[in-house]
Amino acid sequence: MAASRTNLRLVFQRREKITSLPLYYDGILWKKSSRAKNFQRYWSELRGTSIFFYCDEKESMYTEKLDLQHFVSIEDDNSGGKKSQAASFRLQLINEGVKLKAENVEAREEWKGYIIAVSQLEVPHDLSLLPGQTLCLEEVVKQETLRQSSAPVRPELQRVLVEKPDSDLYDDVLTAMPKCFYKISRNEAEAMLERHPENGNLILRPSTENTNYSISTLITQCSKRVLKHYRVTCEETGFIIWVDNPVTCRSLQEVIEHFIKETNGVLKPYIDSEVYADKIEVSKSPNEKANKTLPVSRVAPIQHSPVLPPEHPGIPGITKFPTKSSRKLPLKQVLLKMNQVIIADDRPPTRPPPKPRSSRLFAAGGASSDELMAKLKERRARLGD
C-alpha cells in the first residue's frame, strides 16, 4: 500500500514538472470529440487553463490536452434522454466542440464550475454547488488571476506559422527567434551540420509536421560523427524538451541555452558566417595561370662571335691553341709542312692556321724586305733540321 502511494506521488511530481501548472481539480472523464463515435475514458486533470487527459491514473505523460483559453460556452448535454447521459455536458471551444461525461451529476457540476472559474476568472452562481465548493472556486479564481498576471509572454508569439514577429509590435528581447533557427527540413539540417561544422553543431528548425520545433545536433562520439534530433513542443506554459525527464523552458532561447549548459559548451548554435568578398574574381585552371605568369619570349637568340685563340708568343702569325695542361710546348714539337703550322696536341685544331704571307708583299719593301726574307729562310732551314 505504501509502495503504491509512493509511486503515485512520483507520478504527480513528474506531471507537475512536465506541465509546470498548478493542479485545481482532477477525476475521471469520458471524452468524445465531434469526429469520434464513442466515449473514451481518461484520468483527467485541470491544470491552469488546460485539461490534460491520461490513459490511467499511473501515467505521467498525457495523451491529449484541451486549451480552455479558447473557451466559448459550456452546457448540459441531455440529447437522447438516456440515464447514462445525465452526467454529460458539452464544451464548446473556438475551433471545436467536445462532449465530456463525468462519473455522476455532482462531479459534472464541479467540473463545469472549475472550467468556468479558470477560463472566465469568475465564480458561476447558476450551478448546484455547496458553500464549501463555492469557496474553493473563489480561491482558484484568485490563484489563476495571479498566475496569469505574472506569466511570461505567450509562446504562440513564436509559432513557426506566423514567422518571426514584427519588431514594431513585440519586444525583441521576449519574442525574437534564436539566431540558430532556420526554416529547413530534417535532411537539410543534417547536410548543413556535416558540410560546415565550423559554423556550429546545433540547429533549431520546424518539426516535420510543421506544428512544433525540433533540435538537430552533430557531435563526435568514439571518433564517429553522430546526428541526433530532439522534439520541442509549444505548450501553454512554455516549450517542453521531450527527453527522459522532460524540461520546460519559457522561451526558445532558453531551450538553446539548456542544450549548451547540459553539454558543457560542446553544443554550439549554428550561425552562418557573414564574411563578404572584396573582389569579383573567377578561379582558373593551373595551366592558364602558368601560361600567364611565364610568358614566351619571341626575341631572336643572341649570336656570339667566335673567340679566336691568341697567337704563339714566339712566332708571329702562328696561332697558339689551348691545351689541357697549362705548360708551354717546346718549339721542337712545332712542325712546318705545306706552308702550314701544326701544333702537336692531344686534340685537332678547330680552325686551319693562317697562310704565310706572300713573297710579293716583301718585294715592295726594298732591301729591308730582302733581309727579312733571308732571316725567314734561315729560320725555316733550322726548323727543318
Side-chain angles (χ1 to χ4, degrees), residues 256-274:
I256 303 301
E257 293 174 357
H258 176 78
F259 277 88
I260 297 174
K261 183 179 179 181
E262 289 296 315
T263 59
N264 295 324
V266 174
L267 291 177
K268 298 179 180 179
Y270 185 99
I271 301 175
D272 278 333
S273 58
E274 298 181 354

PDB file of all heavy atoms in Angstrom, residues 256-274:
ATOM      1  N   ILE A 256      17.684  26.697 -26.229  1.00  0.00           N
ATOM      2  CA  ILE A 256      19.055  26.619 -26.752  1.00  0.00           C
ATOM      3  C   ILE A 256      20.067  26.655 -25.610  1.00  0.00           C
ATOM      4  O   ILE A 256      21.034  25.877 -25.584  1.00  0.00           O
ATOM      5  CB  ILE A 256      19.306  27.774 -27.738  1.00  0.00           C
ATOM      6  CG1 ILE A 256      18.281  27.748 -28.890  1.00  0.00           C
ATOM      7  CG2 ILE A 256      20.726  27.698 -28.290  1.00  0.00           C
ATOM      8  CD1 ILE A 256      18.281  26.491 -29.686  1.00  0.00           C
ATOM      9  N   GLU A 257      19.837  27.540 -24.647  1.00  0.00           N
ATOM     10  CA  GLU A 257      20.766  27.652 -23.520  1.00  0.00           C
ATOM     11  C   GLU A 257      20.791  26.375 -22.686  1.00  0.00           C
ATOM     12  O   GLU A 257      21.841  26.010 -22.141  1.00  0.00           O
ATOM     13  CB  GLU A 257      20.365  28.843 -22.649  1.00  0.00           C
ATOM     14  CG  GLU A 257      20.544  30.190 -23.343  1.00  0.00           C
ATOM     15  CD  GLU A 257      20.004  31.335 -22.528  1.00  0.00           C
ATOM     16  OE1 GLU A 257      19.428  31.064 -21.445  1.00  0.00           O
ATOM     17  OE2 GLU A 257      20.146  32.503 -22.959  1.00  0.00           O
ATOM     18  N   HIS A 258      19.664  25.678 -22.599  1.00  0.00           N
ATOM     19  CA  HIS A 258      19.630  24.418 -21.852  1.00  0.00           C
ATOM     20  C   HIS A 258      20.524  23.365 -22.509  1.00  0.00           C
ATOM     21  O   HIS A 258      21.279  22.659 -21.814  1.00  0.00           O
ATOM     22  CB  HIS A 258      18.189  23.909 -21.766  1.00  0.00           C
ATOM     23  CG  HIS A 258      18.059  22.569 -21.099  1.00  0.00           C
ATOM     24  ND1 HIS A 258      18.120  22.403 -19.737  1.00  0.00           N
ATOM     25  CD2 HIS A 258      17.903  21.324 -21.634  1.00  0.00           C
ATOM     26  CE1 HIS A 258      18.003  21.114 -19.439  1.00  0.00           C
ATOM     27  NE2 HIS A 258      17.859  20.440 -20.576  1.00  0.00           N
ATOM     28  N   PHE A 259      20.480  23.252 -23.828  1.00  0.00           N
ATOM     29  CA  PHE A 259      21.335  22.284 -24.526  1.00  0.00           C
ATOM     30  C   PHE A 259      22.806  22.633 -24.336  1.00  0.00           C
ATOM     31  O   PHE A 259      23.646  21.742 -24.148  1.00  0.00           O
ATOM     32  CB  PHE A 259      20.980  22.245 -26.010  1.00  0.00           C
ATOM     33  CG  PHE A 259      19.810  21.358 -26.334  1.00  0.00           C
ATOM     34  CD1 PHE A 259      18.520  21.834 -26.289  1.00  0.00           C
ATOM     35  CD2 PHE A 259      20.007  20.027 -26.675  1.00  0.00           C
ATOM     36  CE1 PHE A 259      17.437  21.028 -26.588  1.00  0.00           C
ATOM     37  CE2 PHE A 259      18.939  19.195 -26.973  1.00  0.00           C
ATOM     38  CZ  PHE A 259      17.641  19.700 -26.923  1.00  0.00           C
ATOM     39  N   ILE A 260      23.140  23.896 -24.403  1.00  0.00           N
ATOM     40  CA  ILE A 260      24.538  24.310 -24.243  1.00  0.00           C
ATOM     41  C   ILE A 260      25.024  23.998 -22.825  1.00  0.00           C
ATOM     42  O   ILE A 260      26.136  23.495 -22.622  1.00  0.00           O
ATOM     43  CB  ILE A 260      24.684  25.810 -24.546  1.00  0.00           C
ATOM     44  CG1 ILE A 260      24.314  26.087 -26.003  1.00  0.00           C
ATOM     45  CG2 ILE A 260      26.101  26.292 -24.256  1.00  0.00           C
ATOM     46  CD1 ILE A 260      24.280  27.565 -26.359  1.00  0.00           C
ATOM     47  N   LYS A 261      24.168  24.274 -21.836  1.00  0.00           N
ATOM     48  CA  LYS A 261      24.550  24.041 -20.446  1.00  0.00           C
ATOM     49  C   LYS A 261      24.686  22.555 -20.145  1.00  0.00           C
ATOM     50  O   LYS A 261      25.620  22.128 -19.449  1.00  0.00           O
ATOM     51  CB  LYS A 261      23.502  24.677 -19.533  1.00  0.00           C
ATOM     52  CG  LYS A 261      23.829  24.555 -18.051  1.00  0.00           C
ATOM     53  CD  LYS A 261      22.763  25.239 -17.218  1.00  0.00           C
ATOM     54  CE  LYS A 261      23.060  25.098 -15.729  1.00  0.00           C
ATOM     55  NZ  LYS A 261      22.013  25.751 -14.889  1.00  0.00           N
ATOM     56  N   GLU A 262      23.769  21.737 -20.655  1.00  0.00           N
ATOM     57  CA  GLU A 262      23.804  20.299 -20.372  1.00  0.00           C
ATOM     58  C   GLU A 262      25.015  19.611 -20.992  1.00  0.00           C
ATOM     59  O   GLU A 262      25.454  18.570 -20.504  1.00  0.00           O
ATOM     60  CB  GLU A 262      22.518  19.642 -20.871  1.00  0.00           C
ATOM     61  CG  GLU A 262      21.279  19.983 -20.046  1.00  0.00           C
ATOM     62  CD  GLU A 262      21.379  19.463 -18.618  1.00  0.00           C
ATOM     63  OE1 GLU A 262      21.787  18.300 -18.450  1.00  0.00           O
ATOM     64  OE2 GLU A 262      21.057  20.220 -17.688  1.00  0.00           O
ATOM     65  N   THR A 263      25.564  20.160 -22.063  1.00  0.00           N
ATOM     66  CA  THR A 263      26.730  19.550 -22.727  1.00  0.00           C
ATOM     67  C   THR A 263      28.030  20.275 -22.398  1.00  0.00           C
ATOM     68  O   THR A 263      29.063  20.014 -23.036  1.00  0.00           O
ATOM     69  CB  THR A 263      26.526  19.547 -24.254  1.00  0.00           C
ATOM     70  OG1 THR A 263      26.340  20.898 -24.703  1.00  0.00           O
ATOM     71  CG2 THR A 263      25.325  18.709 -24.633  1.00  0.00           C
ATOM     72  N   ASN A 264      27.991  21.181 -21.418  1.00  0.00           N
ATOM     73  CA  ASN A 264      29.189  21.932 -21.011  1.00  0.00           C
ATOM     74  C   ASN A 264      29.844  22.661 -22.181  1.00  0.00           C
ATOM     75  O   ASN A 264      31.071  22.703 -22.306  1.00  0.00           O
ATOM     76  CB  ASN A 264      30.202  20.994 -20.345  1.00  0.00           C
ATOM     77  CG  ASN A 264      29.690  20.413 -19.044  1.00  0.00           C
ATOM     78  OD1 ASN A 264      28.977  21.083 -18.290  1.00  0.00           O
ATOM     79  ND2 ASN A 264      30.016  19.159 -18.773  1.00  0.00           N
ATOM     80  N   GLY A 265      29.019  23.209 -23.044  1.00  0.00           N
ATOM     81  CA  GLY A 265      29.536  24.002 -24.148  1.00  0.00           C
ATOM     82  C   GLY A 265      29.946  23.214 -25.371  1.00  0.00           C
ATOM     83  O   GLY A 265      30.440  23.799 -26.346  1.00  0.00           O
ATOM     84  N   VAL A 266      29.743  21.886 -25.357  1.00  0.00           N
ATOM     85  CA  VAL A 266      30.098  21.083 -26.546  1.00  0.00           C
ATOM     86  C   VAL A 266      29.189  21.459 -27.718  1.00  0.00           C
ATOM     87  O   VAL A 266      29.642  21.578 -28.859  1.00  0.00           O
ATOM     88  CB  VAL A 266      29.994  19.577 -26.227  1.00  0.00           C
ATOM     89  CG1 VAL A 266      30.217  18.743 -27.487  1.00  0.00           C
ATOM     90  CG2 VAL A 266      31.018  19.205 -25.159  1.00  0.00           C
ATOM     91  N   LEU A 267      27.908  21.636 -27.437  1.00  0.00           N
ATOM     92  CA  LEU A 267      26.975  22.069 -28.477  1.00  0.00           C
ATOM     93  C   LEU A 267      27.017  23.582 -28.600  1.00  0.00           C
ATOM     94  O   LEU A 267      26.944  24.310 -27.598  1.00  0.00           O
ATOM     95  CB  LEU A 267      25.557  21.611 -28.154  1.00  0.00           C
ATOM     96  CG  LEU A 267      25.292  20.107 -28.242  1.00  0.00           C
ATOM     97  CD1 LEU A 267      23.866  19.788 -27.826  1.00  0.00           C
ATOM     98  CD2 LEU A 267      25.561  19.590 -29.638  1.00  0.00           C
ATOM     99  N   LYS A 268      27.150  24.051 -29.816  1.00  0.00           N
ATOM    100  CA  LYS A 268      27.214  25.482 -30.102  1.00  0.00           C
ATOM    101  C   LYS A 268      26.184  25.812 -31.190  1.00  0.00           C
ATOM    102  O   LYS A 268      26.052  25.076 -32.164  1.00  0.00           O
ATOM    103  CB  LYS A 268      28.608  25.888 -30.559  1.00  0.00           C
ATOM    104  CG  LYS A 268      29.677  25.651 -29.492  1.00  0.00           C
ATOM    105  CD  LYS A 268      31.046  26.039 -29.992  1.00  0.00           C
ATOM    106  CE  LYS A 268      32.103  25.788 -28.924  1.00  0.00           C
ATOM    107  NZ  LYS A 268      33.463  26.146 -29.413  1.00  0.00           N
ATOM    108  N   PRO A 269      25.457  26.919 -31.046  1.00  0.00           N
ATOM    109  CA  PRO A 269      24.458  27.285 -32.061  1.00  0.00           C
ATOM    110  C   PRO A 269      25.083  27.458 -33.431  1.00  0.00           C
ATOM    111  O   PRO A 269      26.174  28.029 -33.565  1.00  0.00           O
ATOM    112  CB  PRO A 269      23.885  28.603 -31.527  1.00  0.00           C
ATOM    113  CG  PRO A 269      24.175  28.590 -30.061  1.00  0.00           C
ATOM    114  CD  PRO A 269      25.472  27.856 -29.912  1.00  0.00           C
ATOM    115  N   TYR A 270      24.407  26.947 -34.451  1.00  0.00           N
ATOM    116  CA  TYR A 270      24.885  27.060 -35.838  1.00  0.00           C
ATOM    117  C   TYR A 270      24.513  28.438 -36.361  1.00  0.00           C
ATOM    118  O   TYR A 270      23.347  28.792 -36.479  1.00  0.00           O
ATOM    119  CB  TYR A 270      24.243  25.967 -36.693  1.00  0.00           C
ATOM    120  CG  TYR A 270      24.754  25.912 -38.114  1.00  0.00           C
ATOM    121  CD1 TYR A 270      25.724  24.989 -38.481  1.00  0.00           C
ATOM    122  CD2 TYR A 270      24.273  26.771 -39.089  1.00  0.00           C
ATOM    123  CE1 TYR A 270      26.190  24.917 -39.775  1.00  0.00           C
ATOM    124  CE2 TYR A 270      24.742  26.718 -40.380  1.00  0.00           C
ATOM    125  CZ  TYR A 270      25.698  25.786 -40.717  1.00  0.00           C
ATOM    126  OH  TYR A 270      26.168  25.730 -42.003  1.00  0.00           O
ATOM    127  N   ILE A 271      25.541  29.232 -36.666  1.00  0.00           N
ATOM    128  CA  ILE A 271      25.335  30.589 -37.169  1.00  0.00           C
ATOM    129  C   ILE A 271      26.176  30.753 -38.423  1.00  0.00           C
ATOM    130  O   ILE A 271      27.392  30.550 -38.403  1.00  0.00           O
ATOM    131  CB  ILE A 271      25.720  31.640 -36.119  1.00  0.00           C
ATOM    132  CG1 ILE A 271      24.871  31.452 -34.844  1.00  0.00           C
ATOM    133  CG2 ILE A 271      25.539  33.048 -36.675  1.00  0.00           C
ATOM    134  CD1 ILE A 271      25.253  32.365 -33.708  1.00  0.00           C
ATOM    135  N   ASP A 272      25.521  31.111 -39.523  1.00  0.00           N
ATOM    136  CA  ASP A 272      26.232  31.314 -40.783  1.00  0.00           C
ATOM    137  C   ASP A 272      27.203  32.467 -40.649  1.00  0.00           C
ATOM    138  O   ASP A 272      26.884  33.518 -40.081  1.00  0.00           O
ATOM    139  CB  ASP A 272      25.239  31.624 -41.917  1.00  0.00           C
ATOM    140  CG  ASP A 272      24.628  30.353 -42.471  1.00  0.00           C
ATOM    141  OD1 ASP A 272      25.288  29.309 -42.382  1.00  0.00           O
ATOM    142  OD2 ASP A 272      23.497  30.397 -42.970  1.00  0.00           O
ATOM    143  N   SER A 273      28.423  32.265 -41.188  1.00  0.00           N
ATOM    144  CA  SER A 273      29.413  33.338 -41.196  1.00  0.00           C
ATOM    145  C   SER A 273      29.030  34.379 -42.237  1.00  0.00           C
ATOM    146  O   SER A 273      28.683  34.056 -43.369  1.00  0.00           O
ATOM    147  CB  SER A 273      30.799  32.774 -41.515  1.00  0.00           C
ATOM    148  OG  SER A 273      30.788  32.118 -42.764  1.00  0.00           O
ATOM    149  N   GLU A 274      29.103  35.648 -41.842  1.00  0.00           N
ATOM    150  CA  GLU A 274      28.713  36.739 -42.737  1.00  0.00           C
ATOM    151  C   GLU A 274      29.950  37.469 -43.251  1.00  0.00           C
ATOM    152  O   GLU A 274      30.103  38.680 -43.108  1.00  0.00           O
ATOM    153  CB  GLU A 274      27.782  37.709 -41.999  1.00  0.00           C
ATOM    154  CG  GLU A 274      26.479  37.054 -41.549  1.00  0.00           C
ATOM    155  CD  GLU A 274      25.571  38.029 -40.846  1.00  0.00           C
ATOM    156  OE1 GLU A 274      26.015  39.178 -40.624  1.00  0.00           O
ATOM    157  OE2 GLU A 274      24.438  37.660 -40.521  1.00  0.00           O
TER     158      GLU A 274
END
